[in-house]
Structures are given as structure tokens and as C-alpha cells.
Amino acid sequence: QVQLVESGGGLVQAGGSLRLSCAASGRTFSSYTMGWFRQAPGKEREFVAAISWNGVTAYYADSVKGRFTISRVNAKNMMYLQMNSLKPEDTAVYYCAARSGSNYQTLPHLYDYWGQGTQVTVSS
């Protein structure tokens, strides 16, 4: 089992940057595929990015490709999301998630563990 805690959200102007962090507890962090999702008011939770257990392979939603970078440091039980060139439409609560399978998934219900979320607000 793993517990996840996000941090790093906040208010930023359009074009700015933020780095989100996800701290994981447990000794088996390196065995999980990790992902970032977001949920805007009145919308469904959507996939943002995912990273393989060893950090070698990353996957991105088309809406963030080229602007966001996902990474992880297994020795520290940490995952990150570097967000550049932020847009107002990136405003949402951002969640980190973990799944036991080795392949990444874009559907939220296929992830086993979730953090509580961190708010990101991008002003125009």
C-alpha cells in the first residue's frame, strides 16, 4: 500500500511556471506506475501525464505535451510535475496517483491510490 501527498500548487499568471510534488510513503514506490490527473470545476477528472516505474518512459495528454514534464526519484519516493507556459485552462485540482500495473493508463479508475489534490489556478 502507498500513501500520496501532493504539494506545490498555487496561483500563477498565464505564461508562468509551477512545480508540483508528490511524496509517497511505503517501501514499494518504485514498483508503481505513477500518474498525474486534474479536475476542473464541473468537469471529469482527466489524465495529464504518467511515468513508468523506472522513470524511463513518460506519457502526456496532448493538451500538455511540450509544456509539462513528469519525473520521479525512486530513492526519495518522490514524483514531480514541472508545468511551464501555464494557461488559464490548466486551472484545476491536480492529483497524483499510483497503479500496480506496469503499463500506463489514462483512465482514473485503473489507478489504485490517490492523493488529496493540490489546487492550481492560472490567471489570465
Side-chain angles (χ1 to χ4, degrees):
Q1 188 170 352
V2 61
Q3 293 182 327
L4 305 173
V5 179
E6 304 95 336
S7 61
L11 174 64
V12 64
Q13 289 188 333
S17 298
L18 281 174
R19 188 176 85 151
L20 304 183
S21 298
C22 175
S25 65
R27 298 181 179 180
T28 59
F29 173 73
S30 61
S31 66
Y32 290 94
T33 296
M34 298 296 296
W36 285 100
F37 289 77
R38 65 187 182 187
Q39 188 166 17
K43 295 188 176 181
E44 293 187 351
R45 192 167 298 190
E46 66 173 1
F47 171 78
V48 175
I51 190 165
S52 60
W53 66 273
N54 57 2
V56 170
T57 308
Y59 314 89
Y60 297 94
D62 288 343
S63 59
V64 306
K65 202 172 294 183
R67 300 188 298 123
F68 290 10
T69 302
I70 188 172
S71 61
R72 66 191 295 169
V73 180
N74 287 342
K76 296 184 177 181
N77 280 14
M78 294 293 296
M79 178 179 66
Y80 306 98
L81 185 68
Q82 178 66 44
M83 306 186 296
N84 298 330
S85 302
L86 282 162
K87 305 175 181 180
E89 50 263 44
D90 294 318
T91 295
V93 177
Y94 283 71
Y95 299 89
C96 68
R99 68 180 304 274
S100 301
S102 59
N103 56 320
Y104 88 103
Q105 295 288 347
T106 63
L107 299 176
H109 75 272
L110 294 176
Y111 284 75
D112 304 301
Y113 304 102
W114 291 85
Q116 83 290 346
T118 185
Q119 176 71 48
V120 172
T121 303
V122 184
S123 63
S124 57

